[in-house]
Amino acid sequence: MLLAGPSGSGKSSLAARTGLPVLRLDDFYKEGNDPTLPRVTGSADIDWDSPASWDADAAVAAIGELCETGRTDVPVYDLATSSRVGRDSFDIARTPLFVAEGIFAADIVRRCQELGVLADALCLRGRPSTTFRRRLARDLREGRKSVPFLLRRGWRLMRAERGIVARQAELGAHPCGKAEALGRLADAAAGRCRLPAARQAA
């Protein structure tokens, strides 16, 4: 189950409410010294909201291994230092469904479909102003980056939020609020796939 949505949309809290194992796709960010990291146009800031800042290949490989064997090793990523600080074992035991959540989850919808492992793909959406406040409060509380950086990023993302949701929908993630998302997660857990037929055949 892929759970996408803008940063601060509530993906992590919703995933935790399901009681299912949760794979944090943010742990697959590239490290801060990676020369391939993209920059915000007209700025020296690293664009951590660009899919180019993230290792999609490693994330898909981990998802595939989980679906095949029930376990995989994943990086442990520290957002404050933009670095991988270790590795951890992630085990879903005999659970037939798990949630892979992160702002780039929609970018791997097609690849997960091709592997035949996708139950559903969702994009959480809400009010941009609410997302802004939630994101800023979280990032300040966790000390993810400097305050000026967080403010610049926050304003940029608030203005771009509707476009972010539209892009993720185009990639195959169904846009919805939390109530609908929980319903579709429950359907997936019960074996009732909600993906449109055209996507299932992809």
Side-chain angles (χ1 to χ4, degrees):
M1 188 84 180
L2 291 175
L3 182 58
S7 175
S9 58
K11 298 179 297 298
S12 297
S13 59
L14 185 139
R17 286 177 60 185
T18 68
L20 295 168
V22 179
L23 178 66
R24 285 171 29 90
L25 296 178
D26 283 357
D27 282 327
F28 293 90
Y29 266 117
K30 296 177 182 178
E31 297 195 85
N33 60 359
D34 191 313
T36 67
L37 283 170
R39 302 284 172 172
V40 176
T41 303
S43 169
D45 289 344
I46 293 172
D47 188 356
W48 295 108
D49 299 288
S50 165
S53 68
W54 184 66
D55 191 345
D57 290 341
V60 171
I63 289 171
E65 187 172 17
L66 276 171
C67 292
E68 183 177 349
T69 69
R71 68 167 307 279
T72 190
D73 288 332
V74 295
V76 178
Y77 195 89
D78 180 40
L79 292 170
T81 61
S82 305
S83 61
R84 295 178 181 180
V85 295
R87 294 192 69 82
D88 201 2
S89 178
F90 185 77
D91 193 332
I92 62 173
R94 298 181 180 179
T95 306
L97 185 73
F98 66 94
V99 179
E101 66 90 5
I103 63 173
F104 303 124
D107 287 85
I108 58 174
V109 167
R110 178 66 62 181
R111 294 176 66 176
C112 288
Q113 288 172 331
E114 290 171 351
L115 289 174
V117 299
L118 186 63
D120 203 351
L122 307 177
C123 170
L124 276 188
R125 65 179 177 187
R127 294 173 60 88
S129 58
T130 301
T131 306
F132 170 83
R133 291 193 299 271
R134 184 187 295 121
R135 176 175 54 240
L136 184 59
R138 177 203 64 195
D139 291 351
L140 289 173
R141 182 177 64 252
E142 298 180 3
R144 292 190 171 191
K145 294 288 186 286
S146 70
V147 174
F149 178 91
L150 293 176
L151 289 171
R152 291 193 301 272
R153 176 179 182 251
W155 283 114
R156 185 174 70 250
L157 289 179
M158 185 172 70
R159 293 192 298 269
E161 182 160 327
R162 288 185 174 85
I164 291 170
V165 171
R167 175 183 176 274
Q168 294 187 359
E170 290 175 359
L171 290 170
H174 173 71
C176 59
K178 290 185 179 180
E180 184 181 355
L182 286 170
R184 291 178 70 113
L185 280 158
D187 283 348
R192 297 187 296 270
C193 184
R194 296 281 294 275
L195 286 176
R199 292 184 190 168
Q200 292 183 53

